[in-house]
Amino acid sequence: MADDASRIVTLTTDFGHKDPYVGVVKGIILSRFPQAQIVDLNHEIPPFDILAGAWSLKISVPYFKAGTIHIAVIDPRVGTKQRRIALELPDCIILAPDNGLTTPFIAGAKKAYALEKPQFFLSSVSNTFHARDVFAPVAVRLLSGIALRDLAVEVDKSSLTVIEGLEPKVQGGEIEGTIVYIDRYGNLITNICAETKPQIKEIRIGSRLLKLAVGSYDTIDDGDAQVLCGSHGYLEIAAKEASAQALLNVSSGEKVTIRTD
Amino acid sequence: MADDASRIVTLTTDFGHKDPYVGVVKGIILSRFPQAQIVDLNHEIPPFDILAGAWSLKISVPYFKAGTIHIAVIDPRVGTKQRRIALELPDCIILAPDNGLTTPFIAGAKKAYALEKPQFFLSSVSNTFHARDVFAPVAVRLLSGIALRDLAVEVDKSSLTVIEGLEPKVQGGEIEGTIVYIDRYGNLITNICAETKPQIKEIRIGSRLLKLAVGSYDTIDDGDAQVLCGSHGYLEIAAKEASAQALLNVSSGEKVTIRTD
Amino acid sequence: MADDASRIVTLTTDFGHKDPYVGVVKGIILSRFPQAQIVDLNHEIPPFDILAGAWSLKISVPYFKAGTIHIAVIDPRVGTKQRRIALELPDCIILAPDNGLTTPFIAGAKKAYALEKPQFFLSSVSNTFHARDVFAPVAVRLLSGIALRDLAVEVDKSSLTVIEGLEPKVQGGEIEGTIVYIDRYGNLITNICAETKPQIKEIRIGSRLLKLAVGSYDTIDDGDAQVLCGSHGYLEIAAKEASAQALLNVSSGEKVTIRTD
């Protein structure tokens, strides 16, 4: 592996921070490839929430250098016949179960592979912990310079599982978006592009009409939840030093509708 | 230190993630030995829960390469006359207070040492933060290649504190195990070997009879909590996309009884 | 950058652990300067709590080697005209918004700078995520060996925002301190120097009189919250295997008064 190659491996899981599971995955990787640089991207995806996991990946992957390996494991069906896949993008590789987690990246992927060569896994593969037994050992082979085509079996991109909800629906002068992610601050992050903001005539969450904020969090009226352009390029409903989620009492998956004409 | 030597230091604590305590320990280590690779194994051991800490170590340590240094600090009696110890295993070293945390490793240890040479600690040792003042500086000396026998005083293995509850009790055709750990998903992890599963005639938690699941989480009946082989080689009571802990309303320490005849 | 130079970058934020925000900041840094060693100092500063952030920095920074770069971002006013600053201390650099976070370090700083040269930021700077868009890229330049005076514009130290509450008030025989930080264990950490302890005639929180503990947590009477010398050199109100915060039902900001004559 050349000196300027990336040795970054990111982890996106719903494993949380209260167990040794993430640490054990790191043990597998660092024990076999000590030069790896492991970045915890997100371990607090709500358990089994594939949409939130896909969104978290979508907004994070672009900030990593070429060659980065992204491992994403939110996997309620671990241990079934569900495939484990590797998606080869122009400048990175994503390893994940084939359950829709990689949806945002499929269109732009060069090739897709199924991980089904047990010689590259831990010698004993459990039914419940493939991050440790399958994905981490495969990442180690990739770091060591083995090509994906030698580690896995190419499959048709169109055979991969995709999930709904990552793209808004546009019909005439109406856009129907979704709250795809709620962050620590209670910011409600939608799947509607920030560039839409100047065209908004009216924006509602459920039946509640929302105001547009002028700029940053600080410009939002006290006690109100308003719409601004989030840092990842999507419209976001936020409050000033308060939680928009608590103010509006909404959950992930809630619809946001915009009238543009 | 040879190039292929491990520079991995793992941390297992009840420090949580809301304070700078873990970061300061890392500062001590990386400021003195920049090549160290520090892995957070678990910082959310319930405060003062030595059994959960011992279990977390037991299932994690095997995944790290030879030469790894494991620091474990769950230490309600910090600052008393309780000893700080180092356990030398065939392929790694564990640093911990002498309060039972190292119980799973004592039988297999080559030697045990007491850390009582203050010249290897921070110059001022507090009564309340030995991870920073004692264990981290000692780990730095080990990383730097100083032998444990020079850093510490050998003691008899049999003098170390051990805790109960890590091993099930087997009597005739009955096994009495314990819920030793509850993970983020609400999986109830027992101390009973997974190999026991085929011999199970009946398994109960309290008075409640449990079903055996066929394979992975996905095969568990909706709304039920059932028994499967966990990824670390022990029987586990789990639910399908739900928390077995919430379904059964049990706590750590609860007994699980098996009839095998 | 010389071989013995620090490549440590610490992060102190209120970003929490449930989002990919911290991981993305690490992606920016490691993608551009792979040798960086990033230490999570604290990401669970209560949202917008600048006092807790300043305190967490104050007690942590001394444990890092010369040359460390500390990034601190608790920033409710992100995206306003508030300056982003760099504080040059004798042996480290702190990057932060100019909102009081750096208060404990201003007196000892050599120079202060405003970060206002956009050529050193990400090409597009959002209104809501300056850790990623401003502070991380500036840290990368510093790691790469560019001097702060070339990256930023010197400003007068006296122009920096300072916050109240980090120092106790001493008047005659009375010291009025503040609970500046509450940790995971429910320990109530005051801003009153531990050296004060021998002079204490009487210590109260609100109207409640407190006892002085003799030494470590273990010496505190069961069920009581008592005063001891915390590991960072300040008086701390703690309980034995219990939460002093829960026992006393107090919040951060509460006053602690001492009579010394």
Side-chain angles (χ1 to χ4, degrees), chain B residues 33-94:
Chain B
F33 195 85
Q35 309 93 311
Q37 294 176 298
I38 306 176
V39 174
D40 298 300
L41 212 34
N42 201 332
H43 295 299
E44 295 282 346
I45 300 292
F48 325 126
D49 187 340
I50 294 167
L51 179 62
W55 190 262
S56 180
L57 274 176
K58 174 181 165 125
I59 63 170
S60 306
V61 163
Y63 292 98
F64 287 82
K65 77 188 280 189
T68 296
I69 299 165
H70 301 279
I71 298 178
V73 187
I74 295 104
D75 196 2
R77 300 192 62 235
V78 59
T80 66
K81 289 189 174 172
Q82 175 185 268
R83 295 184 299 187
R84 283 80 46 114
I85 56 170
L87 208 58
E88 189 180 345
L89 303 187
D91 65 356
C92 68
I93 289 170
I94 304 178

Side-chain angles (χ1 to χ4, degrees), chain A residues 135-243:
Chain A
F135 295 111
V138 167
V140 168
R141 313 290 175 156
L142 289 169
L143 286 166
S144 308
I146 304 181
L148 197 44
R149 64 175 178 277
D150 296 323
L151 289 171
V153 176
E154 196 175 342
V155 297
D156 196 321
K157 276 198 335 181
S158 68
S159 72
L160 301 185
T161 303
V162 296
I163 51 168
E164 299 277 306
L166 288 159
E167 301 292 337
K169 291 176 190 153
V170 183
Q171 194 167 27
E174 194 174 285
I175 301 170
E176 187 192 80
T178 303
I179 304 296
V180 283
Y181 195 90
I182 301 177
D183 74 12
R184 181 197 195 198
Y185 302 92
N187 296 321
L188 307 168
I189 297 164
T190 77
N191 58 358
I192 305 168
C193 265
E195 283 86 53
T196 311
K197 200 176 166 216
Q199 307 158 38
I200 297 177
K201 292 282 193 323
E202 190 183 291
I203 178 165
R204 290 174 185 277
I205 184 161
S207 62
R208 180 175 177 138
L209 207 58
L210 298 169
K211 275 197 188 166
L212 303 182
V214 183
S216 55
Y217 296 129
D218 192 66
T219 66
I220 298 172
D221 298 326
D222 285 321
D224 198 12
Q226 302 183 350
V227 179
L228 49 69
C229 296
S231 65
H232 292 94
Y234 294 87
L235 294 180
E236 180 176 321
I237 304 165
K240 182 177 175 178
E241 297 195 31
S243 160

Side-chain angles (χ1 to χ4, degrees), chain A residues 37 181-185 231, chain C residues 14 18-21 31 34 132:
Chain A
Q37 294 176 298
Y181 195 90
I182 301 177
D183 74 12
R184 181 197 195 198
Y185 302 92
S231 65
Chain C
D14 63 350
K18 74 168 288 301
D19 301 310
Y21 303 150
S31 293
R132 178 192 68 190

Side-chain angles (χ1 to χ4, degrees), chain A:
Chain A
M1 177 163 260
D3 255 10
D4 60 345
S6 179
R7 279 120 182 214
I8 302 177
V9 178
T10 81
L11 304 176
T12 297
T13 75
D14 62 352
F15 295 175
H17 287 87
K18 75 170 285 302
D19 301 310
Y21 303 152
V22 171
V24 164
V25 170
K26 293 178 180 174
I28 296 289
I29 297 173
L30 289 173
S31 293
R32 289 160 179 73
F33 195 85
Q35 310 92 311
Q37 294 176 298
I38 305 177
V39 175
D40 298 301
L41 212 34
N42 200 333
H43 295 300
E44 295 284 346
I45 300 293
F48 325 127
D49 187 340
I50 295 167
L51 179 62
W55 190 262
S56 181
L57 276 176
K58 175 182 164 126
I59 62 170
S60 305
V61 163
Y63 292 98
F64 287 82
K65 78 187 278 191
T68 296
I69 299 165
H70 302 279
I71 298 178
V73 186
I74 294 106
D75 196 3
R77 301 193 60 234
V78 59
T80 65
K81 290 191 173 168
Q82 175 186 267
R83 295 184 299 188
R84 285 78 47 114
I85 57 170
L87 209 58
E88 189 181 345
L89 304 188
D91 64 357
C92 70
I93 289 170
I94 303 178
L95 307 177
D98 180 22
N99 62 7
L101 257 184
T102 62
T103 303
F105 304 97
I106 294 175
K110 286 163 62 183
K111 288 185 178 171
Y113 298 84
L115 303 177
E116 47 192 45
K117 297 188 175 178
Q119 66 268 38
F120 300 118
F121 308 160
L122 289 201
S123 55
S124 159
V125 173
S126 72
N127 275 327
T128 53
F129 195 0
H130 289 178
R132 178 193 67 190
D133 303 339
V134 174
F135 295 111
V138 167
V140 168
R141 313 290 175 156
L142 289 169
L143 286 166
S144 308
I146 304 181
L148 197 44
R149 64 175 178 277
D150 296 323
L151 289 171
V153 176
E154 196 175 342
V155 297
D156 196 321
K157 276 198 335 181
S158 68
S159 72
L160 301 185
T161 303
V162 296
I163 51 168
E164 299 277 306
L166 288 159
E167 301 292 337
K169 291 176 190 153
V170 183
Q171 194 167 27
E174 194 174 285
I175 301 170
E176 187 192 80
T178 303
I179 304 296
V180 283
Y181 195 90
I182 301 177
D183 74 12
R184 181 197 195 198
Y185 302 92
N187 296 321
L188 307 168
I189 297 164
T190 77
N191 58 358
I192 305 168
C193 265
E195 283 86 53
T196 311
K197 200 176 166 216
Q199 307 158 38
I200 297 177
K201 292 282 193 323
E202 190 183 291
I203 178 165
R204 290 174 185 277
I205 184 161
S207 62
R208 180 175 177 138
L209 207 58
L210 298 169
K211 275 197 188 166
L212 303 182
V214 183
S216 55
Y217 296 129
D218 192 66
T219 66
I220 298 172
D221 298 326
D222 285 321
D224 198 12
Q226 302 183 350
V227 179
L228 49 69
C229 296
S231 65
H232 292 94
Y234 294 87
L235 294 180
E236 180 176 321
I237 304 165
K240 182 177 175 178
E241 297 195 31
S243 160
Q245 179 182 28
L247 282 172
L248 300 181
N249 190 25
V250 297
S251 310
S252 189
E254 194 98 1
K255 297 300 172 199
V256 174
T257 49
I258 289 178
R259 209 170 41 74
T260 56
D261 60 0

